[in-house]
């Protein structure tokens, strides 16, 4: 059994690549500039100037590493929106509809297949060799949530950070319309829906929950604007409807999912996005505009409903 400490160090290792790109945006107050000092600089002035220069240098390096020029680091015109909602409510289906409507909208799917296929070779060289084993973390989490929930949340959250850190494609930067990157779920639902729920169910223990929240806050604060969202689309439907769709879809790992679990996830969504009673730790997220859509409507078969949804989404994007 892995100790939490071991798991955190594994997480830090896995995050090595993105950790390299961590950047700070304006976290310090005004600092002295050498050329404007009236008196010879004190040791603390020099320290402050050095810190400022190091910070600028690391910002420039991180831009260089991510392949973006300073003005492109976070193109203000490109909006970022996540689609949130219960399991099988229809997020992927709705995301595909959005993708087909407007070339200015880029949809980023939830990386479920990555969670289903975790490759573990004994070394990098052997990763593609026959010794590579593949484990299905989604299945492991559903079969033994007490053992695997913390591990699952570290990996799901890491993959969501990766997705949200991807720069928009060039065509979006030159678009004349309202370019929008649309994510299927986000680093925020990872924490305020799933991880919180697993903690409340006792599948994540208090130590694991404290550690999860600590690194989650650290990463969100360090990545700053890069992982901020301008809006959320909440696909809302009764848990019973989600259960019907879950059965209809028939994903093997979900065969033991009970209505009670969907009820609990529904309540988490309502507390976060409707009642606003979930304790949120990021200022911008507390104020985020939410577009609620009644996902129990069968928009797949009904063109009129589809068109109404698209109009609502277009209007919503224009307000962000
Ligand atoms: N509006 C809808 N009307 C009728 N059926 C729908 C609708 N939306 C989705 N479905 C069906 O419900 C099932 C689940 O949909 P989908 O895979 O899009 O859910 P999801 O929210 O992305 O799931 P997950 O939470 O697992 O990522 C699919 O079989 C899909 O065809
Ligand atoms: N425990 C847990 N934490 C998450 O952050 C999370 N995100 C998605 N899922 C589950 C729901 C679907 O079965 C399937 C695809 O959405 O993965 C999660 N499960």
């Amino acid at each position: 059994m892995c100790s939490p400490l071991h798991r955190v160090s594994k997480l830090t290792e896995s995050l090595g690549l993105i950790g390299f790109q961590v950047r700070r945006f304006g976290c310090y107050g005004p600092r002295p500039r050498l050329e404007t000092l009236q008196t010879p600089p004190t040791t603390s002035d020099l320290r402050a100037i050095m810190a400022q220069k190091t910070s600028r240098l690391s910002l420039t390096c991180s831009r260089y590493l991510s392949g973006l020029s300073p003005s492109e680091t976070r193109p203000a015109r490109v909006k970022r929106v996540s689609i949130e909602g219960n399991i099988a409510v229809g997020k992927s289906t709705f995301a595909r509809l959005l993708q087909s409507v407007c070339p200015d909208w880029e949809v980023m799917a939830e990386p479920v297949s990555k969670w289903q296929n975790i490759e573990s070779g004994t070394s990098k060289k052997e990763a593609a060799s026959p010794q590579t084993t593949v484990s299905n973390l989604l299945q492991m989490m559903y079969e033994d949530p007490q053992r695997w929930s913390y591990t699952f949340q570290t990996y799901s959250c890491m993959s969501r950070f990766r997705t949200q850190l991807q720069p928009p494609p060039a065509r979006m930067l030159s678009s004349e319309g309202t370019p929008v990157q649309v994510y299927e779920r986000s680093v925020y639902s990872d924490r305020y829906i799933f991880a919180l729920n697993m903690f409340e169910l006792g599948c994540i223990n208090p130590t694991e929950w404290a550690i999860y929240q600590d690194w989650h806050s650290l990463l969100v604060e360090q990545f700053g604007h890069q992982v901020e969202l301008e809006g959320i689309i909440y696909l809302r439907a009764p848990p019973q409807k989600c259960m019907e769709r879950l059965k209809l879809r028939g994903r093997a790992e979900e065969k033991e999912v009970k209505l009670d679990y969907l009820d609990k996830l529904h309540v988490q969504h309502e507390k976060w996005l409707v009642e606003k009673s979930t304790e949120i730790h990021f200022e911008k997220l507390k104020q985020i505009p939410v577009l609620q859509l009644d996902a129990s409507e069968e928009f797949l078969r009904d063109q009129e409903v589809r068109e109404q949804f698209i109009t609502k989404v277009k209007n919503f994007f224009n307000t962000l």
Side-chain angles (χ1 to χ4, degrees):
M1 181 88 174
C2 260
S3 71
L5 202 63
H6 183 215
R7 290 188 210 161
V8 176
S9 83
K10 277 200 291 190
L11 171 77
T12 330
E13 255 173 59
S14 339
L15 283 170
L17 238 186
I18 47 178
F20 203 40
Q21 291 189 40
V22 166
R23 57 200 75 171
R24 274 178 184 277
F25 288 90
C27 299
Y28 307 111
R31 268 175 254 119
R33 289 170 64 86
L34 199 49
E35 53 277 27
T36 57
L37 289 174
Q38 305 295 315
T39 52
T42 62
T43 315
S44 80
D45 285 340
L46 286 172
R47 272 209 201 105
I49 289 162
M50 283 310 290
Q52 194 175 18
K53 296 222 179 287
T54 313
S55 155
R56 279 208 200 119
L57 180 68
S58 79
L59 183 60
T60 312
C61 287
S62 63
R63 280 174 184 147
Y64 176 77
L65 286 166
S66 66
L68 289 168
S69 74
S71 60
E72 288 171 329
T73 303
R74 167 76 180 83
R77 248 171 39 76
V78 178
K79 308 289 180 210
R80 293 168 177 219
V81 170
S82 75
I83 304 177
E84 306 291 354
N86 211 336
I87 302 177
V89 70
K91 294 176 299 301
S92 309
T93 310
F94 186 68
R96 281 194 295 273
L97 170 68
L98 294 188
Q99 188 67 86
S100 69
V101 169
C102 181
D104 277 345
W105 301 343
E106 188 204 33
V107 172
M108 324 276 272
E110 193 174 48
V112 187
S113 65
K114 281 202 169 178
W115 309 337
Q116 291 169 315
N117 295 285
I118 312 252
E119 285 192 10
S120 51
T122 45
S123 75
K124 274 200 172 160
K125 251 190 188 167
E126 287 165 334
S129 79
Q131 287 172 355
T132 304
T133 58
V134 174
S135 44
N136 183 338
L137 185 56
L138 185 65
Q139 186 182 336
M140 290 152 78
M141 183 271 297
Y142 277 127
E143 282 178 357
D144 189 353
Q146 214 111 18
R147 167 64 185 86
W148 291 107
S149 285
Y150 179 80
T151 311
F152 188 90
Q153 295 310 146
T154 64
Y155 196 60
S156 58
C157 200
M158 188 175 83
S159 53
R160 296 189 207 282
F161 270 104
R162 276 213 183 98
T163 304
Q164 284 182 237
L165 286 168
Q166 277 182 35
R171 69 178 159 80
M172 290 183 95
L173 300 175
S174 55
S175 149
E176 309 241 306
T178 309
V180 187
Q181 281 186 298
V182 182
Y183 307 106
E184 205 184 317
R185 294 209 178 102
S186 61
V187 297
Y188 305 109
S189 38
D190 201 281
R191 175 167 174 173
Y192 295 115
I193 300 292
F194 286 100
L196 174 61
N197 195 51
M198 286 306 191
F199 168 62
E200 289 179 358
L201 290 175
C203 297
I204 284 181
N205 69 40
T207 310
E208 291 170 327
W209 181 227
I211 294 169
Y212 173 97
Q213 294 192 90
D214 199 9
W215 61 248
H216 186 280
S217 291
L218 174 78
L219 290 177
V220 170
E221 281 154 18
Q222 290 291 316
F223 283 119
H225 300 311
Q226 286 181 288
V227 292
E228 274 175 4
L229 300 174
E230 274 73 41
I232 288 177
I233 299 174
Y234 173 30
L235 295 189
R236 188 167 183 243
Q240 184 61 49
K241 178 60 82 180
C242 299
M243 196 58 174
E244 284 164 25
R245 290 182 183 166
L246 184 146
K247 298 262 182 244
L248 182 78
R249 179 176 60 192
R251 188 181 275 149
E253 295 87 344
E254 295 168 347
K255 63 180 182 303
E256 296 300 327
V257 171
K258 302 278 183 286
L259 181 60
D260 183 52
Y261 183 61
L262 298 186
D263 277 337
K264 292 209 159 56
L265 290 174
H266 179 72
V267 170
Q268 297 293 4
H269 281 90
E270 295 289 295
K271 282 187 182 164
W272 176 32
L273 299 170
V274 181
E275 297 157 19
K276 318 255 176 196
S277 56
T278 304
E279 189 195 355
I280 302 293
H281 304 82
F282 312 106
E283 281 313 309
K284 188 159 179 204
L285 192 63
K286 289 181 189 168
Q287 325 287 341
I288 195 160
V290 177
L291 171 68
Q292 231 186 81
L293 294 177
D294 180 3
S296 52
E297 303 241 28
E298 308 274 319
F299 69 80
L300 278 178
R301 263 163 263 153
D302 192 331
Q303 192 184 348
E304 208 181 307
V305 176
R306 251 191 338 261
E307 281 167 7
Q308 281 169 8
F309 275 19
I310 295 300
T311 306
K312 282 185 184 169
V313 169
K314 278 185 180 161
N315 292 340
F316 180 62
F317 286 172
N318 286 332
T319 64
L320 299 178

PDB file of all heavy atoms in Angstrom, residues 188-212:
ATOM      1  N   TYR A 188     -11.780  22.399 -11.958  1.00  0.00           N
ATOM      2  CA  TYR A 188     -12.646  22.834 -10.856  1.00  0.00           C
ATOM      3  C   TYR A 188     -13.688  21.758 -10.508  1.00  0.00           C
ATOM      4  O   TYR A 188     -13.966  21.527  -9.338  1.00  0.00           O
ATOM      5  CB  TYR A 188     -13.307  24.174 -11.211  1.00  0.00           C
ATOM      6  CG  TYR A 188     -12.246  25.192 -11.574  1.00  0.00           C
ATOM      7  CD1 TYR A 188     -12.079  25.633 -12.892  1.00  0.00           C
ATOM      8  CD2 TYR A 188     -11.351  25.641 -10.613  1.00  0.00           C
ATOM      9  CE1 TYR A 188     -11.065  26.523 -13.225  1.00  0.00           C
ATOM     10  CE2 TYR A 188     -10.326  26.524 -10.935  1.00  0.00           C
ATOM     11  CZ  TYR A 188     -10.188  26.962 -12.250  1.00  0.00           C
ATOM     12  OH  TYR A 188      -9.174  27.821 -12.577  1.00  0.00           O
ATOM     13  N   SER A 189     -14.268  21.094 -11.535  1.00  0.00           N
ATOM     14  CA  SER A 189     -15.217  20.023 -11.184  1.00  0.00           C
ATOM     15  C   SER A 189     -14.460  18.839 -10.591  1.00  0.00           C
ATOM     16  O   SER A 189     -15.006  18.079  -9.783  1.00  0.00           O
ATOM     17  CB  SER A 189     -16.064  19.593 -12.378  1.00  0.00           C
ATOM     18  OG  SER A 189     -15.340  19.586 -13.576  1.00  0.00           O
ATOM     19  N   ASP A 190     -13.188  18.676 -10.996  1.00  0.00           N
ATOM     20  CA  ASP A 190     -12.391  17.607 -10.400  1.00  0.00           C
ATOM     21  C   ASP A 190     -12.412  17.748  -8.874  1.00  0.00           C
ATOM     22  O   ASP A 190     -12.627  16.777  -8.150  1.00  0.00           O
ATOM     23  CB  ASP A 190     -10.943  17.702 -10.916  1.00  0.00           C
ATOM     24  CG  ASP A 190     -10.206  16.394 -10.775  1.00  0.00           C
ATOM     25  OD1 ASP A 190      -9.749  16.082  -9.645  1.00  0.00           O
ATOM     26  OD2 ASP A 190     -10.101  15.663 -11.768  1.00  0.00           O
ATOM     27  N   ARG A 191     -12.219  18.997  -8.414  1.00  0.00           N
ATOM     28  CA  ARG A 191     -12.161  19.230  -6.955  1.00  0.00           C
ATOM     29  C   ARG A 191     -13.547  19.370  -6.318  1.00  0.00           C
ATOM     30  O   ARG A 191     -13.851  18.713  -5.330  1.00  0.00           O
ATOM     31  CB  ARG A 191     -11.343  20.503  -6.689  1.00  0.00           C
ATOM     32  CG  ARG A 191     -11.306  20.919  -5.226  1.00  0.00           C
ATOM     33  CD  ARG A 191     -10.238  21.968  -5.035  1.00  0.00           C
ATOM     34  NE  ARG A 191     -10.236  22.515  -3.693  1.00  0.00           N
ATOM     35  CZ  ARG A 191      -9.285  23.351  -3.265  1.00  0.00           C
ATOM     36  NH1 ARG A 191      -8.300  23.701  -4.052  1.00  0.00           N
ATOM     37  NH2 ARG A 191      -9.324  23.820  -2.031  1.00  0.00           N
ATOM     38  N   TYR A 192     -14.365  20.291  -6.912  1.00  0.00           N
ATOM     39  CA  TYR A 192     -15.601  20.670  -6.218  1.00  0.00           C
ATOM     40  C   TYR A 192     -16.774  19.722  -6.486  1.00  0.00           C
ATOM     41  O   TYR A 192     -17.833  19.886  -5.891  1.00  0.00           O
ATOM     42  CB  TYR A 192     -15.965  22.121  -6.557  1.00  0.00           C
ATOM     43  CG  TYR A 192     -14.923  23.088  -6.023  1.00  0.00           C
ATOM     44  CD1 TYR A 192     -14.132  23.860  -6.880  1.00  0.00           C
ATOM     45  CD2 TYR A 192     -14.698  23.179  -4.656  1.00  0.00           C
ATOM     46  CE1 TYR A 192     -13.165  24.719  -6.380  1.00  0.00           C
ATOM     47  CE2 TYR A 192     -13.727  24.031  -4.151  1.00  0.00           C
ATOM     48  CZ  TYR A 192     -12.968  24.800  -5.009  1.00  0.00           C
ATOM     49  OH  TYR A 192     -12.009  25.639  -4.498  1.00  0.00           O
ATOM     50  N   ILE A 193     -16.597  18.764  -7.394  1.00  0.00           N
ATOM     51  CA  ILE A 193     -17.631  17.739  -7.593  1.00  0.00           C
ATOM     52  C   ILE A 193     -17.085  16.381  -7.146  1.00  0.00           C
ATOM     53  O   ILE A 193     -17.529  15.815  -6.149  1.00  0.00           O
ATOM     54  CB  ILE A 193     -18.087  17.656  -9.078  1.00  0.00           C
ATOM     55  CG1 ILE A 193     -18.682  18.995  -9.559  1.00  0.00           C
ATOM     56  CG2 ILE A 193     -19.071  16.503  -9.267  1.00  0.00           C
ATOM     57  CD1 ILE A 193     -19.989  19.387  -8.930  1.00  0.00           C
ATOM     58  N   PHE A 194     -16.107  15.877  -7.874  1.00  0.00           N
ATOM     59  CA  PHE A 194     -15.720  14.477  -7.669  1.00  0.00           C
ATOM     60  C   PHE A 194     -14.867  14.241  -6.419  1.00  0.00           C
ATOM     61  O   PHE A 194     -15.194  13.378  -5.600  1.00  0.00           O
ATOM     62  CB  PHE A 194     -15.000  13.943  -8.907  1.00  0.00           C
ATOM     63  CG  PHE A 194     -15.938  13.678 -10.040  1.00  0.00           C
ATOM     64  CD1 PHE A 194     -16.081  14.576 -11.075  1.00  0.00           C
ATOM     65  CD2 PHE A 194     -16.708  12.522 -10.062  1.00  0.00           C
ATOM     66  CE1 PHE A 194     -16.956  14.341 -12.122  1.00  0.00           C
ATOM     67  CE2 PHE A 194     -17.592  12.274 -11.103  1.00  0.00           C
ATOM     68  CZ  PHE A 194     -17.711  13.186 -12.142  1.00  0.00           C
ATOM     69  N   ALA A 195     -13.755  14.982  -6.288  1.00  0.00           N
ATOM     70  CA  ALA A 195     -12.878  14.728  -5.145  1.00  0.00           C
ATOM     71  C   ALA A 195     -13.626  15.014  -3.841  1.00  0.00           C
ATOM     72  O   ALA A 195     -13.565  14.227  -2.890  1.00  0.00           O
ATOM     73  CB  ALA A 195     -11.608  15.561  -5.267  1.00  0.00           C
ATOM     74  N   LEU A 196     -14.381  16.130  -3.831  1.00  0.00           N
ATOM     75  CA  LEU A 196     -15.160  16.479  -2.636  1.00  0.00           C
ATOM     76  C   LEU A 196     -16.162  15.368  -2.312  1.00  0.00           C
ATOM     77  O   LEU A 196     -16.325  14.962  -1.153  1.00  0.00           O
ATOM     78  CB  LEU A 196     -15.890  17.812  -2.882  1.00  0.00           C
ATOM     79  CG  LEU A 196     -16.865  18.275  -1.804  1.00  0.00           C
ATOM     80  CD1 LEU A 196     -16.164  18.491  -0.470  1.00  0.00           C
ATOM     81  CD2 LEU A 196     -17.563  19.581  -2.218  1.00  0.00           C
ATOM     82  N   ASN A 197     -16.823  14.854  -3.346  1.00  0.00           N
ATOM     83  CA  ASN A 197     -17.802  13.788  -3.135  1.00  0.00           C
ATOM     84  C   ASN A 197     -17.139  12.533  -2.568  1.00  0.00           C
ATOM     85  O   ASN A 197     -17.647  11.914  -1.637  1.00  0.00           O
ATOM     86  CB  ASN A 197     -18.485  13.484  -4.473  1.00  0.00           C
ATOM     87  CG  ASN A 197     -19.743  12.673  -4.293  1.00  0.00           C
ATOM     88  OD1 ASN A 197     -20.599  13.029  -3.486  1.00  0.00           O
ATOM     89  ND2 ASN A 197     -19.845  11.567  -5.014  1.00  0.00           N
ATOM     90  N   MET A 198     -15.981  12.182  -3.140  1.00  0.00           N
ATOM     91  CA  MET A 198     -15.265  10.993  -2.658  1.00  0.00           C
ATOM     92  C   MET A 198     -14.833  11.189  -1.206  1.00  0.00           C
ATOM     93  O   MET A 198     -14.833  10.244  -0.423  1.00  0.00           O
ATOM     94  CB  MET A 198     -14.050  10.696  -3.542  1.00  0.00           C
ATOM     95  CG  MET A 198     -14.423  10.100  -4.886  1.00  0.00           C
ATOM     96  SD  MET A 198     -15.453   8.630  -4.665  1.00  0.00           S
ATOM     97  CE  MET A 198     -15.478   7.958  -6.305  1.00  0.00           C
ATOM     98  N   PHE A 199     -14.461  12.420  -0.867  1.00  0.00           N
ATOM     99  CA  PHE A 199     -14.095  12.698   0.531  1.00  0.00           C
ATOM    100  C   PHE A 199     -15.329  12.532   1.422  1.00  0.00           C
ATOM    101  O   PHE A 199     -15.279  11.854   2.461  1.00  0.00           O
ATOM    102  CB  PHE A 199     -13.507  14.109   0.654  1.00  0.00           C
ATOM    103  CG  PHE A 199     -13.381  14.563   2.071  1.00  0.00           C
ATOM    104  CD1 PHE A 199     -12.553  13.870   2.962  1.00  0.00           C
ATOM    105  CD2 PHE A 199     -14.098  15.657   2.542  1.00  0.00           C
ATOM    106  CE1 PHE A 199     -12.442  14.275   4.295  1.00  0.00           C
ATOM    107  CE2 PHE A 199     -13.995  16.054   3.870  1.00  0.00           C
ATOM    108  CZ  PHE A 199     -13.169  15.364   4.738  1.00  0.00           C
ATOM    109  N   GLU A 200     -16.448  13.091   0.992  1.00  0.00           N
ATOM    110  CA  GLU A 200     -17.660  13.002   1.823  1.00  0.00           C
ATOM    111  C   GLU A 200     -18.162  11.568   1.950  1.00  0.00           C
ATOM    112  O   GLU A 200     -18.784  11.202   2.930  1.00  0.00           O
ATOM    113  CB  GLU A 200     -18.758  13.918   1.255  1.00  0.00           C
ATOM    114  CG  GLU A 200     -18.416  15.385   1.486  1.00  0.00           C
ATOM    115  CD  GLU A 200     -19.425  16.381   0.934  1.00  0.00           C
ATOM    116  OE1 GLU A 200     -20.431  15.971   0.308  1.00  0.00           O
ATOM    117  OE2 GLU A 200     -19.190  17.588   1.116  1.00  0.00           O
ATOM    118  N   LEU A 201     -17.857  10.754   0.939  1.00  0.00           N
ATOM    119  CA  LEU A 201     -18.257   9.336   0.997  1.00  0.00           C
ATOM    120  C   LEU A 201     -17.271   8.495   1.821  1.00  0.00           C
ATOM    121  O   LEU A 201     -17.495   7.315   2.029  1.00  0.00           O
ATOM    122  CB  LEU A 201     -18.343   8.745  -0.414  1.00  0.00           C
ATOM    123  CG  LEU A 201     -19.487   9.226  -1.314  1.00  0.00           C
ATOM    124  CD1 LEU A 201     -19.365   8.639  -2.712  1.00  0.00           C
ATOM    125  CD2 LEU A 201     -20.838   8.852  -0.701  1.00  0.00           C
ATOM    126  N   GLY A 202     -16.156   9.103   2.209  1.00  0.00           N
ATOM    127  CA  GLY A 202     -15.147   8.362   2.986  1.00  0.00           C
ATOM    128  C   GLY A 202     -14.197   7.556   2.114  1.00  0.00           C
ATOM    129  O   GLY A 202     -13.429   6.726   2.611  1.00  0.00           O
ATOM    130  N   CYS A 203     -14.223   7.785   0.794  1.00  0.00           N
ATOM    131  CA  CYS A 203     -13.310   7.049  -0.110  1.00  0.00           C
ATOM    132  C   CYS A 203     -11.969   7.767  -0.236  1.00  0.00           C
ATOM    133  O   CYS A 203     -11.001   7.198  -0.735  1.00  0.00           O
ATOM    134  CB  CYS A 203     -13.952   6.890  -1.489  1.00  0.00           C
ATOM    135  SG  CYS A 203     -15.446   5.923  -1.412  1.00  0.00           S
ATOM    136  N   ILE A 204     -11.940   9.033   0.146  1.00  0.00           N
ATOM    137  CA  ILE A 204     -10.683   9.770   0.262  1.00  0.00           C
ATOM    138  C   ILE A 204     -10.610  10.153   1.743  1.00  0.00           C
ATOM    139  O   ILE A 204     -11.576  10.711   2.282  1.00  0.00           O
ATOM    140  CB  ILE A 204     -10.709  11.027  -0.643  1.00  0.00           C
ATOM    141  CG1 ILE A 204     -10.508  10.607  -2.104  1.00  0.00           C
ATOM    142  CG2 ILE A 204      -9.652  12.043  -0.239  1.00  0.00           C
ATOM    143  CD1 ILE A 204     -10.487  11.754  -3.095  1.00  0.00           C
ATOM    144  N   ASN A 205      -9.505   9.800   2.409  1.00  0.00           N
ATOM    145  CA  ASN A 205      -9.456  10.073   3.858  1.00  0.00           C
ATOM    146  C   ASN A 205      -9.032  11.532   4.116  1.00  0.00           C
ATOM    147  O   ASN A 205      -8.578  12.224   3.194  1.00  0.00           O
ATOM    148  CB  ASN A 205      -8.592   9.020   4.577  1.00  0.00           C
ATOM    149  CG  ASN A 205      -7.117   9.147   4.224  1.00  0.00           C
ATOM    150  OD1 ASN A 205      -6.587  10.247   4.116  1.00  0.00           O
ATOM    151  ND2 ASN A 205      -6.454   8.006   4.047  1.00  0.00           N
ATOM    152  N   PRO A 206      -9.183  11.991   5.349  1.00  0.00           N
ATOM    153  CA  PRO A 206      -8.899  13.416   5.637  1.00  0.00           C
ATOM    154  C   PRO A 206      -7.475  13.838   5.265  1.00  0.00           C
ATOM    155  O   PRO A 206      -7.267  14.973   4.815  1.00  0.00           O
ATOM    156  CB  PRO A 206      -9.130  13.527   7.153  1.00  0.00           C
ATOM    157  CG  PRO A 206     -10.104  12.440   7.463  1.00  0.00           C
ATOM    158  CD  PRO A 206      -9.771  11.316   6.530  1.00  0.00           C
ATOM    159  N   THR A 207      -6.505  12.936   5.433  1.00  0.00           N
ATOM    160  CA  THR A 207      -5.117  13.289   5.072  1.00  0.00           C
ATOM    161  C   THR A 207      -5.008  13.468   3.563  1.00  0.00           C
ATOM    162  O   THR A 207      -4.432  14.449   3.063  1.00  0.00           O
ATOM    163  CB  THR A 207      -4.154  12.168   5.527  1.00  0.00           C
ATOM    164  OG1 THR A 207      -4.435  11.866   6.887  1.00  0.00           O
ATOM    165  CG2 THR A 207      -2.710  12.573   5.351  1.00  0.00           C
ATOM    166  N   GLU A 208      -5.576  12.506   2.813  1.00  0.00           N
ATOM    167  CA  GLU A 208      -5.526  12.590   1.338  1.00  0.00           C
ATOM    168  C   GLU A 208      -6.249  13.853   0.843  1.00  0.00           C
ATOM    169  O   GLU A 208      -5.787  14.527  -0.070  1.00  0.00           O
ATOM    170  CB  GLU A 208      -6.164  11.342   0.732  1.00  0.00           C
ATOM    171  CG  GLU A 208      -5.346  10.084   0.961  1.00  0.00           C
ATOM    172  CD  GLU A 208      -6.119   8.819   0.576  1.00  0.00           C
ATOM    173  OE1 GLU A 208      -7.354   8.780   0.727  1.00  0.00           O
ATOM    174  OE2 GLU A 208      -5.474   7.855   0.143  1.00  0.00           O
ATOM    175  N   TRP A 209      -7.367  14.168   1.473  1.00  0.00           N
ATOM    176  CA  TRP A 209      -8.157  15.343   1.072  1.00  0.00           C
ATOM    177  C   TRP A 209      -7.364  16.633   1.321  1.00  0.00           C
ATOM    178  O   TRP A 209      -7.331  17.529   0.479  1.00  0.00           O
ATOM    179  CB  TRP A 209      -9.489  15.332   1.831  1.00  0.00           C
ATOM    180  CG  TRP A 209     -10.450  16.439   1.541  1.00  0.00           C
ATOM    181  CD1 TRP A 209     -11.125  17.187   2.455  1.00  0.00           C
ATOM    182  CD2 TRP A 209     -10.892  16.926   0.257  1.00  0.00           C
ATOM    183  NE1 TRP A 209     -11.943  18.104   1.830  1.00  0.00           N
ATOM    184  CE2 TRP A 209     -11.813  17.964   0.484  1.00  0.00           C
ATOM    185  CE3 TRP A 209     -10.587  16.588  -1.062  1.00  0.00           C
ATOM    186  CZ2 TRP A 209     -12.434  18.669  -0.557  1.00  0.00           C
ATOM    187  CZ3 TRP A 209     -11.207  17.297  -2.103  1.00  0.00           C
ATOM    188  CH2 TRP A 209     -12.119  18.314  -1.842  1.00  0.00           C
ATOM    189  N   ALA A 210      -6.685  16.685   2.469  1.00  0.00           N
ATOM    190  CA  ALA A 210      -5.878  17.868   2.777  1.00  0.00           C
ATOM    191  C   ALA A 210      -4.758  18.007   1.750  1.00  0.00           C
ATOM    192  O   ALA A 210      -4.485  19.110   1.241  1.00  0.00           O
ATOM    193  CB  ALA A 210      -5.296  17.756   4.183  1.00  0.00           C
ATOM    194  N   ILE A 211      -4.128  16.901   1.393  1.00  0.00           N
ATOM    195  CA  ILE A 211      -3.017  16.946   0.427  1.00  0.00           C
ATOM    196  C   ILE A 211      -3.547  17.330  -0.964  1.00  0.00           C
ATOM    197  O   ILE A 211      -2.979  18.177  -1.653  1.00  0.00           O
ATOM    198  CB  ILE A 211      -2.268  15.591   0.396  1.00  0.00           C
ATOM    199  CG1 ILE A 211      -1.572  15.359   1.744  1.00  0.00           C
ATOM    200  CG2 ILE A 211      -1.257  15.538  -0.739  1.00  0.00           C
ATOM    201  CD1 ILE A 211      -1.032  13.957   1.928  1.00  0.00           C
ATOM    202  N   TYR A 212      -4.653  16.718  -1.365  1.00  0.00           N
ATOM    203  CA  TYR A 212      -5.242  17.037  -2.676  1.00  0.00           C
ATOM    204  C   TYR A 212      -5.526  18.542  -2.771  1.00  0.00           C
ATOM    205  O   TYR A 212      -5.160  19.215  -3.742  1.00  0.00           O
ATOM    206  CB  TYR A 212      -6.540  16.232  -2.878  1.00  0.00           C
ATOM    207  CG  TYR A 212      -7.305  16.615  -4.139  1.00  0.00           C
ATOM    208  CD1 TYR A 212      -7.159  15.872  -5.311  1.00  0.00           C
ATOM    209  CD2 TYR A 212      -8.155  17.714  -4.176  1.00  0.00           C
ATOM    210  CE1 TYR A 212      -7.850  16.228  -6.474  1.00  0.00           C
ATOM    211  CE2 TYR A 212      -8.840  18.079  -5.329  1.00  0.00           C
ATOM    212  CZ  TYR A 212      -8.691  17.330  -6.473  1.00  0.00           C
ATOM    213  OH  TYR A 212      -9.367  17.691  -7.614  1.00  0.00           O
TER     214      TYR A 212
END
